[in-house]
Amino acid sequence: MKRRRLGQHYLVDESVVKRMVSLAGINVGERVLEIGTGRGALTVKLARVATSLEGYEVDPENCALTEAAVGGKVRIHLADAFEASPEFDVLVSSLPYSRSAAFVEWISKPRYDRAVVILQEDFVRKITAPPGEVTTPMVRGRTGSGFLRAESNRPSAASFCFSCSKANCSAPIPTGSRYST
């Protein structure tokens, strides 16, 4: 059951999940972090490729569902990752709109190698628009040693995904309406 107060949405499109895992390019020994495990769709796929995976979920019901889905292979915390400050090399996440601002503040602090994150497009527009203009030209933020950049040419998309590393960033993953709301 979704809880409006948590701004929950669930990633249900298998092709988006696969693309996120692929873009993450997880290597043996890397510490992988997922914020907002939801029902575990992304967590299950990450657990298949990561040797060290840690997930955070604030909803007790979803936390239990995710733990059951991964069968103890992953450390799942019933806690807010933004308060716990976990260490990681790779971040993979599909965040609820209500946590987007906290995420942008939080992600500028830790050291990490790369991230694949889905944010709501209207939030991205708000934080990237020049004064007096509404547009989605670019997302910028700090990675371990540089800036991330992603461009969107899909103004009607429901979500906006960016992938970045120290070396480069990919174009956004077209997500459209691939969420259960």
Side-chain angles (χ1 to χ4, degrees), residues 78-140:
L78 179 58
D80 186 336
F82 302 150
E83 294 174 10
S85 301
E87 293 184 2
F88 61 96
D89 300 306
V90 182
L91 170 67
V92 184
S93 184
S94 175
L95 295 166
Y97 180 85
S98 63
R99 299 299 301 192
S100 298
F103 168 75
V104 169
E105 288 183 33
W106 177 82
I107 197 68
S108 68
K109 297 172 188 165
R111 297 200 70 50
Y112 59 95
D113 188 58
R114 61 194 174 281
V116 178
V117 180
I118 293 179
L119 295 170
Q120 301 308 113
E121 186 178 15
D122 57 337
F123 175 77
V124 173
R125 283 183 182 178
K126 288 176 186 177
I127 65 170
T128 61
E133 185 178 333
V134 178
T135 183
T136 312
M138 189 174 298
V139 178
R140 291 187 187 257

Side-chain angles (χ1 to χ4, degrees), residues 13-89:
D13 188 312
E14 184 71 18
S15 67
V16 174
V17 172
K18 286 180 182 178
R19 179 85 168 124
M20 290 179 74
V21 173
S22 174
L23 284 171
I26 299 165
N27 298 309
V28 174
E30 289 185 310
R31 299 165 298 170
V32 180
L33 173 65
E34 180 186 7
I35 299 175
T37 62
R39 296 175 179 160
L42 181 57
T43 316
V44 167
K45 298 291 187 205
L46 290 170
R48 291 181 184 159
V49 297
T51 54
S52 174
L53 174 60
E54 197 168 354
Y56 281 81
E57 176 58 54
V58 297
D59 183 310
E61 186 177 320
N62 283 341
C63 188
L65 287 170
T66 301
E67 286 176 329
V70 295
K73 184 179 176 188
V74 179
R75 291 184 311 269
I76 305 294
H77 304 276
L78 179 58
D80 186 336
F82 302 150
E83 294 174 10
S85 301
E87 293 184 2
F88 61 96
D89 300 306

